[in-house]
Structure formats: C-alpha cells, structure tokens
C-alpha cells in the first residue's frame, strides 16, 4: 500500500519526488535487543497535513483556493490514520455553519450532508426520576444537527476536486527534523511487524512525508501535537494554563417514527453524575429516525470508582430517556475525549516548520458545546499564513497573530469562565455561569483558573466508596462487548502494543492498591483489566485491540504512566454516522 501511495503521489502533476534512505527501526517485546535495517521511501510536498478532520480538510481546501486565486500551485497532502476519512471522527454534533459559510459559501447547493436545521432547543436538569426544564443557555437558531463523520467525507471529496491528495489508512508516528531542527514533515509507522518485533510477511517500512510546512490536525490530545507542544514549550508561550478534558460517549439510535422529531435538541445536567463531577448529556434528532445520544464526563472527576461508560448506561434508564429509546435499535457506539480548557489553555500554535490547528490546539467553546466551526476557522487561518509563508516569504507567526484578531479569539474569551466555574461544584458552577452569561455577558473583569490537571484530580480509593452500577438489560443499556461490536473497531492483533507503560510496575504497585485500578473503569472499551497471573496475583492486562482511540488513558492515568501511540494505519473504530 505504501508503494501505491508513492506512485499515486508521484504521478500527480509531477509535484511529489521519491527518494529512499536507510532507517534503523526499533523492535519490541522479546526482541527488544534486535534492530533491523529497512529502506524507507520519502515523498516531498509543499504542505503536509496530519489528520483529515474538519480542521485539516478546511486548511487543505483553503490552500488550494488561494492557489487558484493567485494562479499558482502548492502540492498538499493529507494523511489520515483511519481506514477511511471519517472513520475516527466522532462528535455531538450541532453544527454552526459560520466557518463553512466562509470556506464554501455555496455549500447548500453542493449536496453537503447538512440537512436538518435545529427545530427546538431544550435544557433539562435531571434528578433520578424527574426532568426539570430550565431556560436554555444555548442559541442554536441557524444551526444544524449533523453527523460530523459524514461531513468530513464530503469535505474530503471537495479537497480532492481541488487537487489535494488525501491518504487514509496511514498513521503519522514520527516528526521529522532537518539539520536546523526545523520540523520537516512526518513519517508513518512501519506495518507488518509482529508483537515480538519480527517482520511478518506483510511487512512494509514507513513512508516519510516531507513538507516545507507541516500542519498538525490530529484532534484532541494528538500524539505528535502533544510532543511538539511539550518540546517547544508552546503552552508556556501561549495562554499558559494546562489543558483540561472530558470524555464523550455516544450512541446513534434508530427510534420509532412517532418519537422522532427532526431537529429537536435537548441538553441535560445533573443526574446521574454527582454534585462534584462536571458533565452533561445530549439528545439530537437527525433525519431518517436517527437519534444521537451521549454523555460527556469531565476527566477531572475525583472518585476513582466512577465509570463514565456505566454512568452513560445508567443515564439511559432515566424515565424521560428510556421512553424515547424503547422500541428502537442502536446503530453505532463510540467515544472520544474533547478539550475543555478553552481560552486559558490555548498554546502558541506555531513551531519551527509548521503549526497546530483544530482540536489539537484546543478551540472548543465549552458553553456552546461546539468546536467544529472554530477548528475549521483555525485551519483556514493557518492555511492563509502557510500560503503567505511559501509564496511571499512571510513568517508562520502570522497565523498566531491573525488567530488573536479573529472571531475565534473573541468567542473563546467570552466563554472563558464557564468551565472553571465548576471547580467549585455543581451549584456554585451553575450560579457563576448564570452571572457570567446574563450579567457580565462574557466581559467579566476577571479570568478564572483551572484546577488540578485531570490525572492529579483523581483521589485515593480509601476516600470513596465503590459505585454499584445496575446490570445492563440488553434493551436500553448494554455491556461493553456489545457496544464495541457496534463501533466497528478492528486492529491487527499481531502488532507491537500501541498502548505503552512507561513503567510496567506502576499498575500493580500504585494504581491498584492506591486507586483501586481506575484504568479498568475510565476506559470506555475495557482495554485495561486486572487478571490473576500464575501465582494468583493481580496483573494488568491490556486488550489493545479494543481501543477506540479516545485518548482517555493518556489523560486520566494517575501517574501519567500510559503513553498512547498510533497503531498500524487503518486500525481503530470504523464510524459511519457519528
């Protein structure tokens, strides 16, 4: 497949050039001491974009639009680790078309999968058996209920029509540097390597995608983006505060005709989460009797016994929710983390040789519960800076400067105090949010700070009682294997583990005795479980093939001992309607 990629790219207007070089690739497991030498192909582009989500594709489209307007050309390549574009994209999603209106003004005439306008907007506070209606803080007039995975597929077609080369199934695993320590592109991981580090018959070395400019659009907690942010101290030179996250768990249902209300939007707060845990749920009615339902749980929760997956199953048993779902069928399941740090956590997105765009940098508007429009706009701004840098010789710092002058900056500044307000608990958070919205209108004279990083917020198990969750009924609530089946998740089993423990002893020495093994609960795919070894002692077992690529483990592990890296390209979930 790598050779096909190379041939296709080299044939495209003669813009890509191919070379080979020797590369020493590490092995794993029992063969840790062995090294083998491979030849790694390399291709050169003007711009390499990692990630075919809304930000990456918006950047690619905008670059090609600028080229056409200036009667010039730049070669643009987009890499996507999912087996196809959209396979790893999951979002709510009530879509605000502001950025798309700027990018493709005639999208309404071009059969975009944006067809269901918001028809009603409700906000409930749930107790165990009641749903209390509150004034809705959302303004969704003019917005649409969509599937984001379907939207990015459409955007990918638009990008290719403009001459962008889009390659799904290739996972960027390494940042490339030139002799001046400028980022010079990325390399995909080798494929066909067995767990023991030996080469299988299907072995193919990775490919180097070299770019004059590299844009990282990996989504929330992107593995390469996080390395760049740390190595170049981009958070310190940006707004300064750490990022904070939430885990979103989602299902798409087909419900009974009489219960379906296209465009109906409902958000809830309260039950089943406790009064110290920030989060809420959503119910969005799409077309074709489809309903998107999900629960978002902030990952700075304290109780190590809390299971976001089981909280979601419990939520669906609420009388107001169960009635809606009964008689329906689950079509798909998935999970993904999202950035909630907002304005305070924006890093300086520019590094030598490129920039970070979209949710990798963290542009989610928390009170709106929207980030697709800001992600797209950031990609467009980065594309404009990239074009000027390559054609006119200006600096990529123009992206950072224009970002601070854009409506993204203004929007996130006005929303900056909502999320940290809930550090004081649910009731104070609701009160502070009301003051911020209705009195200060986002212009308060102070800026609240975030609390502890999410992994540090987890408290010792002896400070909490275990949570007893009801068994799934198989009608509205389900066990993890049933849900995983609906995610279409698949990985090559015989490959090096992409979930790596920095210290293999930490789970049994620290996590289990001190925190009651929280990794067995915060993961929405049961990747982590403690099993008895031959001596009857508990040992952490990692079911990497179950991984949904949500990144919760990379964020929530109390000692930051789990490192999420990319598996073979094409592995992971296979979302179609998320």
């Amino acid at each position: 497949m790598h050779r096909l990629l190379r041939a296709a790219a080299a044939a495209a207007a003669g813009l890509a050039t191919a070379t080979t070089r020797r590369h020493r690739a590490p092995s794993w497991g029992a063969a840790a001491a062995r090294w083998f030498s491979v030849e790694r192909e390399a291709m050169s582009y003007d711009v390499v974009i990692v990630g075919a989500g809304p930000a990456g594709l918006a950047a690619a489209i905008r670059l090609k639009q600028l080229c056409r307007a200036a009667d010039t050309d730049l070669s643009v390549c987009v890499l996507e680790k999912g087996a196809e574009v959209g396979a790893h994209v999951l979002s709510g999603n009530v879509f605000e078309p502001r950025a798309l209106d700027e990018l493709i003004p005639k999208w309404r005439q071009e059969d975009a999968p944006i067809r269901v306008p918001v028809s009603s907007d409700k906000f409930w506070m749930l107790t165990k058996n009641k749903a209390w209606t509150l004034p809705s803080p959302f303004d969704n007039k003019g917005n649409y209920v969509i599937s984001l995975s379907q939207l990015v597929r459409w955007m990918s077609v638009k990008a290719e029509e403009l001459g962008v080369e889009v390659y799904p199934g290739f996972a960027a695993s390494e940042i490339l540097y030139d002799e001046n320590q400028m980022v010079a592109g990325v390399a995909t991981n080798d494929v066909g390597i067995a767990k023991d580090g030996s080469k299988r018959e299907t072995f193919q070395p990775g490919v180097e995608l070299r770019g004059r400019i590299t844009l990282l659009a990996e989504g929330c907690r992107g593995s390469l983006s996080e390395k760049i942010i740390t190595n170049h101290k981009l958070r310190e030179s940006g707004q300064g505060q750490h990022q904070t996250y939430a885990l979103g768990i989602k299902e798409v249902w087909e419900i009974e005709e009489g219960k379906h209300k296209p465009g109906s939007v409902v958000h809830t707060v309260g039950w089943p989460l406790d009064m110290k845990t920030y989060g809420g749920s959503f119910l969005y009615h799409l077309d074709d009797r489809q309903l998107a339902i999900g629960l978002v749980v902030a990952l700075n929760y304290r109780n190590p016994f809390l299971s976001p997956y089981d909280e979601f199953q419990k939520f669906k048993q609420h009388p107001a929710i169960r009635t809606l779902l009964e008689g329906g069928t689950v079509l798909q399941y998935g999970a993904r983390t999202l950035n909630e740090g907002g304005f305070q956590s924006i890093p300086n997105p520019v590094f030598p040789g490129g920039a970070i765009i979209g949710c990798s940098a963290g542009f989610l508007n928390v009170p709106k519960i929207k980030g697709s429009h800001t992600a797209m706009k950031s990609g467009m701004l980065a594309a404009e800076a990239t074009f000027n840098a390559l054609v006119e010789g200006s600096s990529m710092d123009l992206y950072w400067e224009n970002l601070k002058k854009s409506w993204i900056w203004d929007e996130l500044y006005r929303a900056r105090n909502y999320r940290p307000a809930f550090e004081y608990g649910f009731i104070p958070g609701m009160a502070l949010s009301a003051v911020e919205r209705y009195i200060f209108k986002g212009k308060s004279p102070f800026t609240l700070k975030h609390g502890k990083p999410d992994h540090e917020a987890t408290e010792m198990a002896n400070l909490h009682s275990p949570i007893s969750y009801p068994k799934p009924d198989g009608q509205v609530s389900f066990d993890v294997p049933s849900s995983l089946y609906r995610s279409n998740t698949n990985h090559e089993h015989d490959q090096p583990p992409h979930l790596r423990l920095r210290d293999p002893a930490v789970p049994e020495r620290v996590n289990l005795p001190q925190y009651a093994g929280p990794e067995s609960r915060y993961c929405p795919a049961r990747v982590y479980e403690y099993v008895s070894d031959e001596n009857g002692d508990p040992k952490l077992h990692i079911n990497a093939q179950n991984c949904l690529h949500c990144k919760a483990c990379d964020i929530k592990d109390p000692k930051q001992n789990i490192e999420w890296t990319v598996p073979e390209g094409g592995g992971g979930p296979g979302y179609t309607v998320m």
Side-chain angles (χ1 to χ4, degrees):
M1 186 177 289
H2 290 101
R3 288 186 175 86
L4 289 175
L5 183 154
R6 177 189 176 192
L15 294 174
T17 61
T19 62
T20 61
R21 73 182 186 92
R22 306 294 287 181
H23 169 65
R24 297 184 65 81
S27 55
W28 295 265
R34 296 205 312 266
W35 292 71
F36 50 84
S37 182
V38 300
E39 290 187 349
R40 197 158 72 172
E41 298 173 347
M43 295 179 293
S44 296
Y45 290 87
D46 291 310
V47 184
V48 173
I49 300 173
V50 180
L57 291 170
I61 291 169
R62 185 68 184 129
L63 273 165
K64 286 296 188 178
Q65 289 173 338
L66 291 168
C67 287
R68 287 194 173 187
D71 195 23
T72 186
D73 200 12
L74 296 173
S75 55
V76 181
C77 170
V78 179
L79 286 182
E80 167 55 43
K81 66 182 174 67
E84 62 180 26
V85 173
H88 290 181
V89 173
L90 180 152
S91 179
N93 183 294
V94 173
F95 181 71
E96 182 174 319
R98 182 175 186 176
L100 187 60
D101 285 339
E102 296 178 15
L103 182 67
I104 307 176
K106 296 183 179 180
W107 61 263
R108 290 170 179 83
Q109 290 81 47
E110 298 192 28
D111 199 30
I114 305 174
R115 295 178 287 270
V116 184
V118 173
S119 59
S120 65
D121 198 357
K122 297 179 181 178
F123 186 45
W124 295 346
M125 185 175 73
L126 300 184
T127 58
K128 186 175 181 179
N129 295 305
K130 297 286 185 180
W132 303 92
T133 300
L134 301 177
S136 177
F138 309 101
D139 182 11
N140 282 314
K141 184 178 180 180
N143 295 335
Y144 296 79
V145 180
I146 70 164
S147 159
L148 190 60
S149 62
Q150 292 179 355
L151 176 61
V152 297
R153 285 187 181 89
W154 177 82
M155 291 179 66
S156 177
V157 172
K158 294 300 174 186
E160 289 180 315
E161 288 174 352
L162 290 168
V164 177
E165 296 172 26
V166 182
Y167 295 112
F170 292 90
S173 61
E174 178 187 350
I175 295 285
L176 301 177
Y177 290 89
D178 65 15
E179 62 276 7
N180 298 316
Q181 292 305 298
M182 295 267 292
V183 170
V186 298
T188 66
N189 54 3
D190 299 334
V191 299
I193 301 175
K195 286 182 179 180
D196 64 2
S198 62
K199 290 187 284 186
R200 304 196 313 267
E201 292 181 358
T202 57
F203 173 79
Q204 292 185 30
V207 176
E208 293 184 359
L209 286 303
R210 295 188 166 271
R212 296 165 65 193
I213 297 290
T214 301
L215 301 179
L216 299 179
E218 301 172 286
C220 178
R221 194 75 171 195
S223 50
L224 298 183
S225 303
E226 288 299 308
K227 287 184 173 67
I228 289 286
I229 288 172
T230 300
N231 293 344
H232 294 273
K233 300 186 184 326
L234 298 183
R235 212 168 292 286
E236 291 84 344
S237 61
Q239 293 301 96
Q241 293 192 39
H242 62 267
Q243 186 59 261
T244 186
Y245 302 88
L247 175 63
I249 301 175
K250 176 183 174 182
E251 291 173 345
V252 175
W253 285 65
E254 184 177 88
I255 61 175
E256 294 177 337
E257 182 69 39
K259 301 175 182 178
H260 185 235
K261 302 175 182 177
S264 173
V265 168
V266 177
H267 293 98
T268 84
V269 292
W271 190 90
L273 300 178
D274 62 59
M275 299 296 282
K276 294 182 179 179
T277 301
Y278 179 73
S281 76
F282 59 87
L283 297 98
Y284 303 152
H285 292 246
L286 297 97
D287 52 5
D288 299 326
R289 292 168 45 208
Q290 291 183 4
L291 172 76
I293 178 171
L295 180 71
V296 178
V297 181
L299 286 175
N300 67 341
Y301 64 81
R302 303 177 187 181
N303 187 347
F305 293 106
L306 188 146
S307 164
Y309 178 88
D310 290 305
E311 294 286 335
F312 177 51
Q313 303 309 314
K314 186 177 177 181
F315 159 72
K316 289 184 292 178
Q317 295 289 359
H318 190 280
I321 309 303
R322 184 182 179 93
T323 301
L324 185 63
L325 301 178
E326 284 179 326
T329 304
V330 186
L331 302 178
Q332 209 151 83
Y333 164 81
R336 189 67 170 94
T337 51
L338 52 150
N339 322 79
E340 289 195 336
F343 181 81
Q344 293 91 320
S345 302
I346 298 173
N348 180 335
V350 179
F351 54 83
I356 302 173
I357 61 179
C359 287
S360 287
F363 298 120
L364 178 78
N365 183 322
V366 175
K368 274 189 177 182
I369 324 177
K370 293 178 182 65
S372 299
H373 66 303
T374 48
M376 290 175 65
K377 179 63 174 178
S378 73
M380 294 158 63
L381 291 171
E384 291 160 6
T386 297
F387 182 85
N388 288 334
L390 295 179
V391 176
E392 300 176 5
S394 62
S395 169
M396 279 300 293
D397 287 330
L398 182 64
Y399 168 41
W400 184 219
E401 294 167 9
N402 287 344
L403 185 68
K404 288 185 283 189
K405 298 174 184 176
S406 72
W407 53 257
I408 294 178
W409 200 259
D410 179 64
E411 184 174 313
L412 295 186
Y413 178 80
R414 290 171 178 269
R416 72 195 185 283
N417 285 332
Y418 288 87
R419 176 63 186 89
F422 285 86
E423 292 291 334
Y424 306 100
F426 177 73
I427 299 300
M430 290 289 284
L432 284 169
S433 295
V435 170
E436 188 74 13
R437 176 176 174 80
Y438 296 109
I439 297 178
F440 290 123
K441 302 184 186 299
K443 298 181 179 180
S444 52
F446 53 84
T447 297
L448 298 176
K449 292 185 176 182
H450 297 304
K452 297 177 180 178
D454 296 338
H455 67 281
E456 292 182 6
T458 312
E459 296 178 344
M460 297 286 189
N462 61 8
L463 299 176
H464 297 270
S465 299
I467 301 174
S468 177
Y469 290 104
K471 291 183 179 181
D473 59 20
Q475 298 177 355
V476 169
S477 57
F478 308 96
D479 58 20
V480 172
S482 299
S483 293
L484 272 175
Y485 175 78
R486 298 186 184 105
S487 71
N488 299 317
T489 296
N490 183 56
H491 293 88
E492 167 59 55
H493 284 231
D494 189 15
Q495 66 173 298
H498 72 279
L499 302 165
R500 302 174 187 174
L501 301 178
R502 293 183 171 92
D503 182 348
V506 164
E508 294 81 20
R509 190 182 71 236
V510 179
N511 286 12
L512 188 59
Q514 296 182 18
Y515 299 95
E519 57 270 71
S520 64
R521 289 179 290 275
Y522 60 61
C523 173
R526 296 294 189 268
V527 168
Y528 305 94
E529 60 178 341
Y530 284 89
V531 298
S532 298
D533 63 14
E534 61 275 10
N535 299 318
D537 297 322
K539 185 76 175 175
L540 181 66
H541 180 71
I542 301 178
N543 303 299
Q545 69 275 11
N546 291 358
C547 182
L548 291 169
H549 298 206
C550 76
K551 310 293 182 71
C553 57
D554 199 73
I555 296 165
K556 188 60 175 172
D557 185 74
K559 299 302 177 184
Q560 291 289 272
N561 190 49
I562 298 173
E563 180 184 11
W564 196 98
T565 62
V566 290
E568 284 191 2
Y575 303 137
T576 57
V577 294
M578 302 298 267

